Structures are given as C-alpha cells and as structure tokens.
Amino acid sequence: MQPLEDDKPKKKVTAYLLYCVSVAVIGSLQFGYNTGVINAPEEKLRVFFQNVSMERYGQPFSEETLTTLWSFAVAIFSVGGMVGSFSVGTMVNIFGRRKSMLITNILALVGGGLMGLSTLSRSFEMVIIGRLVIGVFCGLCTGLTPMYVGEITPTAVRGAFGTLHQLGVVIGILIAQILGLESLLGSDALWPLLLALTTLPAVLQSIMLPFCPESPRYLLIVLNKEEEARKALVRLRGCENVDDDIQEMKEEGMKMSMEKKVTILELFRSPNYRQPIIIAIILQLSQQLSGINAVFYYSTSIFKDAGVTQPIYATIGAGVVNTVFTVVSLFLVERAGRRTLHLIGLAGMAICALLMTISLSLVKTNQSLSYLAIVAVFGFVASFEMGPGPIPWFIVAELFSQGPRPAAMAVSGCSNWTANFLVGIGFQKLVALCGPYVFLIFMVLLILFFVFTYLRVPETKGRTFDDIARGFASNAEKASPSTGPDAVVCGPPDSRDAPPLSPTEKVPMVDLPAGTQ
C-alpha cells in the first residue's frame, strides 16, 4: 500500500486557493450581515416610518400598523431569499459559478442603494423594497458560495473549507451587531449608511473575482472544456499533475448522465424518497421554528425587556457566542454524530426557552433575573450552533443520492426560507398576544422536533450516500411490499465524491461500514 500512497500527489492548500475561497466567502459574510443588520436600528426605523406618515398624511401610523410595517420590513428579506434560492440552479447552468457571483452583486448594489437613499427620498417603501432585493441577493449567495468553494477545493479538505460558509455567516452577523452600536453607525443620522454598507463588500468581491478561475467541475462536466479545467486546477493545486482530479470529475460526469434526475413532485410521489424528503423538511423547520431568528431579529428588545441597561452589548455578546460555538461544532460533528448533536442542541434550546420565559415574566418583580435572561439567550444561541444551526443544511445532502439531491435541496431550502418569513412576520404579533410567554410556543415546537429526530432521523456519520439511500429504499419496501424494484434509485457506490450541494457541508464522507440508528 505504501508505494501506491507515495505515487499520489499531495493535495496541498495553496495561497491561490485560499485567495479564491476567501473571495467567494464574502458572499457568506454578506448573508450574515444583512440578517443581523436590521436589529440594532429598530427604534430609528420606527421613528422614520412615523415621521414619513406625519409628512404625508398629517398623522402617525397606529401602533398596530407600525408593528405590521416593521415586521413586514424584517420578513420581506426571507421572501427574497426564497426567490433567490430557487434561482441558483438555473443561474449557474446558464452563466457558470464565477459569473453568477459577479451578476448577483448587482442586486447588492441596488438593494443597498435603495435603503441608503430612503431618508433623502423620505420613503419607507424604499427600505422595504431594498430589503426584498437584498433578500434575493442573499438567497443566491447561500447557494453560489458553498457550490463554488466545494468545487474548487480538493476532496481531502472539501469538508473543512465548506464550513467557512457558516463561519462567514456568523461573522457577518457579529460585524452587523458591532457596527450597529449607537456610537458607530446605529445613530439617527447614520442608520441609512449602516444598511447601505452591504454595497462595499459587493464592490470588493466584484474587483477580486476576475482573478479567480471558473469552477473546474463546471468547465469539464457542464461545458466539456477539459483543457481549461486542467489549467484552472494547475493554478489551484500548485502542481502540474492533476490527472486524479480530472479523472474524478470525468467519473462524476458519467454518473450524473447515467442516473435518473428526479423532479420535485416525484420526491413526494415515490415511496423511496418520501421519508427522506419529509425528514429534510422537518429538520429545516426545526432550524427556523426553533425561535433562533426571533432571538436574533429582536435580541436588543429582549434584553431591554429583561432590564439590561445596555442591551446592544448583550446582543453583541450573543453574536460572539454564536461565532465561537460554530467553530466548536466543526470539531464535534464527526465525533458525536449528526443526529446526536442535533438532539443535544434541540434539548438545550428547549431548556433555555423555558428559562427565557421565566426570567422575562418575573423580571419586573426581581431585577436580578435580567442576568438569567442573558444566560438563557447565550445558552439558546450556543445550543443552536451545536446542532440545529449547521446540521439541517448538510445532512439533507447526505440523505439523497446524486439524482434526487438537487430537487431535495431546492425543497428543503425553500422550506427554510418560508419558515424564516413566517417567524419574521408573526413574532411581533405573538409577543403582543402572549407577552413573555411567547417562547413557550418555541419550547413546545422544540420538544416535538426532538421527538421526531429521536424516532425518525438516522445517523449518517461514516455512511456512504449509497448505504443511506439503500436504507430508505429498504424501509419503503417494508412499508409498501408491492413497490417494484424499478422504483428504487440509489446512488452509485462512489457517490461520496460528488460535489457538496449543502451550504454548510462540514466534512467529506468516508467509506466505513454501514451504521445503524
């Protein structure tokens, strides 16, 4: 075995590869920044909405109308995300990966410009439309960035580099929270600049992207341009011998041409795909309906209600915890397993949701409970990043073989953005109805998701795509004995080499004996 290993060229990480990955991950940072940026200037935006109403109609909006407008301005971001996530597949096939990222940055310039000029135009509608355009931009980024990064990195380090997408997202959230401080860009005069700042990374990425190559996989598998793919690989790998990579891509292209492509309707019609697509959807719902976006969108007001005198600093602290535990999860996911970490995260979030309810409901009678609220929020965020944050994205890619995976990712991604929208539009109204007991709703949902995960979600650690697909096919046969063998579509044994389609794929799959749940 030793001579064989020595004959293979080492897959080293070159400075040029790091440059290309860093440029691409600017899109992940953009997604995180625009998710978190709307939180800090909430009061300023509400005042702006009221001032515009007074200038136009001679009277301010009612409290109910103002709450609805604000919730809509927050949630419209997710509507754009749904549109963008569904457009990724079509866009990359027409324009390629690199050119798609360049074109997408136009949306960042338009959306940021609309929000930045809203005060000059005295139009709150520009803020809402700008958030919608930025949502489409971020929806595209969540597909384009991990796809490009996964396709330019060597197989041996693809999982490690894939985690940079999620890390970029949480760092973007943290930057938005820091810049949103009153002393920086969160003031009455500068909040439009805070929202418009998303244009700067877009310009920076547009300047740097032309120096990056097109994805070698796209060049060879889609365009059949082997020589151009080889040149790109030589630059990325830092060596002339890239025959192994070329051969891997050719084999992947053959597998993709041989395996049946599955439509979205077939995912629900076929008994072989029905169970994994239901699991994929529920896992995505467990991420969004856990209440995490409610905590991030409205964290400043949560700390304010808890009696914290400087709530924005507590929110930044939550962002730091978010970043740290994202890094921690990278080292735990292959040791503890996906299913186990997801269960631990859901349980921790349920406990913290209960603690948040207790502290927020009793803080007026006992001011010291404000500290319990902070601890509960920090614990909630830490538990989220241990499991429900990263795992639903990349476990979905593991549940499906090459044929049905693109359709499954589209369905699960849309489920995620839809749930994100519902939480954004409904949380404020739920707060008005339920007060501090609103997190009990999320606690009940978390318990239900925990039970579902325990009973239905298989462990995928150390299992090949083919093994997982066979397991679902076997379950479908037991449930429906009349199902013919032709209905079974499993991935080829080596389908672990397929490019990661998950935005946050953590590690490459390895060929180990099949595990059992």
Side-chain angles (χ1 to χ4, degrees), residues 211-335:
F211 300 100
C212 300
E214 178 54 273
S215 160
R217 289 183 184 271
Y218 174 76
L219 290 171
L220 182 58
I221 297 174
V222 179
L223 300 183
N224 198 28
K225 295 182 178 180
E226 181 176 338
E227 194 56 38
E228 289 187 29
R230 187 178 291 275
K231 288 179 182 177
L233 281 169
V234 167
R235 293 188 71 192
L236 290 166
R237 303 292 184 262
C239 63
E240 293 294 327
N241 186 358
V242 293
D243 292 339
D244 287 348
D245 294 278
I246 293 292
Q247 184 59 33
E248 177 200 342
M249 293 176 195
K250 286 182 177 179
E251 290 174 2
E252 181 185 325
M254 290 177 62
K255 292 169 190 171
M256 289 178 66
S257 63
M258 289 165 53
E259 189 173 19
K260 173 188 174 185
K261 290 188 177 180
V262 179
T263 65
I264 290 174
L265 287 177
E266 283 179 283
L267 288 175
F268 296 95
R269 288 174 179 168
S270 170
N272 299 294
Y273 306 135
R274 195 176 300 130
Q275 184 182 353
I277 193 61
I278 289 173
I279 290 173
I281 291 171
I282 298 296
L283 286 177
Q284 293 288 5
L285 294 180
S286 74
Q287 184 188 86
Q288 293 299 332
L289 299 183
S290 64
I292 187 65
N293 279 342
V295 170
F296 274 118
Y297 285 150
Y298 306 107
S299 54
T300 302
S301 56
I302 288 172
F303 287 127
K304 186 177 179 182
D305 291 341
V308 179
T309 53
Q310 294 289 340
I312 188 62
Y313 292 107
T315 300
I316 291 172
V320 173
V321 171
N322 192 29
T323 305
V324 170
F325 275 87
T326 299
V327 177
V328 170
S329 72
L330 312 186
F331 297 99
L332 292 179
V333 71
E334 273 301 293
R335 296 174 183 269

